[in-house]
Amino acid sequence: MSIKQTDERYVAHTYKRFDIAIAAGEGSICYDDNGKTYIDMTSGIGVNSFGYADPVWAEAVANQAKLLQHTSNLYYASPCAELAEILCTRTGMDKVFFCNSGAEANECAVKVARAYAAAHKGADYYNIITLNKSFHGRTLTTLAATGQENFHTKFTPLTEGFLYADANDIEGLERLVADNKVAGILIETVQGEGGVNALDKEFVQACERLCRENDLVFMVDEVQTGNGRTGKLYSYMHFGVQPDVVSTAKGLAGGLPMGATLMSERVSGVLGYGDHGSTFGGNPVCAAAAISVMNRMDEAFLADVAAKGRYIKERVEQAGYPVSGLGLMIGIVPKKPVSEVLAACMENGVLCLSAKEKLRLLPPLNIPMDLLEKAVDVIIAALG
Ligand SMILES: *Cc1c(COP(=O)(O)O)cnc(C)c1O
């Protein structure tokens, strides 16, 4: 059987795959099993921060795998502690809980908000406000947090206690806070799956203000926007706010499964011994990969991400297509169905993503300019 036939026969049909099999990759290029070359504008959905098989990253992973691949969280181990210190130092946060995915990082955020509210206001203050068109994950709680009804059908009842506000509607948000017993507010600064919609700065600041005024937990889901993707280490840094909780995953370990929930000093005390856990959380190989990713994301690198984002935006806007997003998290409004644009790009050797009706680009953060120029040429031609 071919790869496709075996996969179709044995892998659960939850993914509608494109008709290619990726066999190998090198930097921002990958190859299918027929040897066709593609420029990758997907990073495995914002995961491969430094592209495929990056030598620095691969060495960090291989060295740790040869030293110690797993210990369980019964013991201390260096990579996990060192990574937590890096994350806290660079964000001003107090403590980190490590897990393996974005959904789990958000589960932890929800537990922190509920535990904080229960301790400070009472157990009935359990509601969490999220936004319409948000995406927070596929577990039953993070699905409930996801403000898109089409994801909910088939799986009800979901975890209760989620309320949805419209993005950028400050008055609507104020009403929800006033009329309900609320534990916290959870937002993506740029809604990824929802269509690469950056929130207004005033709205993000209003979320923070309402949290301060009402003693709520202000949570930012940086699963997609985090780890340099938007041209800052974390996207909240564009908005002049300081969250109580930041959840992240995708690009954190550059291609290995790792999630993290960062907690400020105000809330970090609510999780005590035994309150939360994860067998694989903080895994030494994943943590070593994440340390290598973090250590390369200095200010010059982040400025370069922002500059590449501006380059794409200018060229695509000049060609006549509206562009949304921040840094190298980009949405483009096509004039024909996005599936046709994706197919034309793929045909011409460029892999792209979609988000709702938009073409979405999440290239490796270190994509070389010559490849980026070529990819943008193909994308503009495919849009036309
Ligand atoms: C991808 C994503 C998630 C879910 O992450 P998983 O690792 O698939 O669980 C959650 N929130 C946002 C904003 C995401 O983009």
Side-chain angles (χ1 to χ4, degrees):
M1 279 201 269
S2 69
I3 298 168
K4 180 179 173 183
Q5 284 167 331
T6 309
D7 186 293
E8 290 287 328
R9 167 63 186 81
Y10 292 110
V11 177
H13 284 186
T14 62
Y15 304 107
K16 186 110 188 64
R17 302 194 200 277
F18 291 101
D19 197 9
I20 58 171
I22 307 293
E26 198 180 346
S28 297
I29 297 273
C30 62
Y31 313 95
D32 70 15
D33 59 342
N34 297 316
K36 180 170 171 177
T37 299
Y38 301 87
I39 304 174
D40 176 40
M41 299 294 279
T42 76
S43 308
I45 320 189
V47 167
N48 300 331
S49 303
F50 290 90
Y52 296 101
D54 175 84
V56 176
W57 175 87
E59 189 175 75
V61 170
N63 287 345
Q64 185 61 44
K66 288 178 207 163
L67 193 65
L68 180 80
Q69 88 277 29
H70 179 78
T71 58
S72 90
N73 280 307
L74 297 173
Y75 311 104
Y76 297 102
S78 160
C80 169
E82 185 184 340
L83 177 61
E85 181 182 21
I86 292 170
L87 291 171
C88 288
T89 305
R90 295 190 67 177
T91 58
M93 294 300 227
D94 184 54
K95 287 193 170 49
V96 184
F97 178 84
F98 289 112
C99 56
N100 317 287
S101 69
E104 283 174 277
N106 286 330
E107 290 271 345
C108 179
V110 169
K111 285 178 81 167
V112 168
R114 287 193 169 173
Y116 180 89
H120 288 81
K121 303 162 103 173
D124 49 338
Y125 280 78
Y126 56 73
N127 290 296
I128 290 174
I129 300 175
T130 65
L131 301 183
N132 288 315
K133 296 191 183 162
S134 59
F135 183 82
H136 297 295
R138 302 286 195 158
T139 61
L140 290 174
T141 294
T142 56
L143 270 183
T146 295
Q148 303 188 56
E149 270 203 28
N150 54 314
F151 283 103
H152 296 177
T153 45
K154 268 187 166 181
F155 305 116
T156 52
L158 305 176
T159 303
E160 63 180 302
F162 288 88
L163 306 165
Y164 313 104
D166 282 333
N168 301 324
D169 176 8
I170 296 175
E171 278 177 26
L173 181 68
E174 285 173 339
R175 267 197 307 279
L176 274 183
V177 170
D179 294 348
N180 296 279
K181 292 182 172 175
V182 176
I185 300 176
L186 170 65
I187 59 168
E188 299 156 271
T189 58
V190 184
Q191 295 184 324
E193 307 303 312
V196 200
N197 310 306
L199 299 183
D200 296 343
K201 192 168 189 176
E202 301 75 59
F203 182 78
V204 174
Q205 294 187 343
C207 291
E208 184 187 47
R209 172 178 58 77
L210 281 168
C211 287
R212 298 292 161 258
E213 287 172 0
N214 297 280
D215 197 17
L216 313 179
V217 179
F218 178 36
M219 295 167 276
V220 180
D221 178 344
E222 298 256 14
V223 172
Q224 192 162 151
T225 53
N227 315 304
R229 175 55 57 188
T230 68
K232 301 261 188 201
L233 192 62
Y234 290 96
S235 71
Y236 73 79
M237 296 168 176
H238 290 282
F239 291 84
V241 295
Q242 184 66 44
D244 299 307
V245 176
V246 169
S247 53
T248 192
K250 288 196 168 86
L252 175 59
L256 289 180
M258 170 166 257
T261 308
L262 285 57
M263 294 165 270
S264 71
E265 199 171 1
R266 185 169 157 253
V267 302
S268 63
V270 302
L271 290 186
Y273 296 123
D275 283 341
H276 202 34
S278 164
T279 298
F280 284 116
N283 170 273
V285 178
C286 300
I291 291 167
S292 110
V293 166
M294 282 293 138
N295 284 344
R296 292 162 79 183
M297 289 190 182
D298 58 14
E299 288 309 312
F301 180 84
L302 295 170
D304 200 45
V305 169
K308 284 172 187 165
R310 282 194 301 274
Y311 167 80
I312 300 175
K313 186 169 162 35
E314 274 164 26
R315 283 209 49 204
V316 172
E317 281 181 346
Q318 250 164 35
Y321 302 90
V323 173
S324 63
L326 268 180
L328 285 176
M329 180 172 177
I330 287 182
I332 301 169
V333 183
K335 291 174 183 155
K336 58 188 178 195
V338 67
S339 57
E340 289 176 25
V341 182
L342 287 174
C345 286
M346 192 182 292
E347 177 68 31
N348 293 300
V350 176
L351 299 181
C352 299
L353 298 160
S354 62
K356 296 277 174 290
E357 72 291 345
K358 285 185 196 166
L359 186 71
R360 175 170 48 151
L361 308 179
L362 297 171
L365 302 180
N366 66 339
I367 185 170
M369 263 328 277
D370 59 328
L371 290 180
L372 187 58
E373 283 166 21
K374 270 193 210 165
V376 172
D377 290 343
V378 168
I379 289 165
I380 289 174
L383 285 162

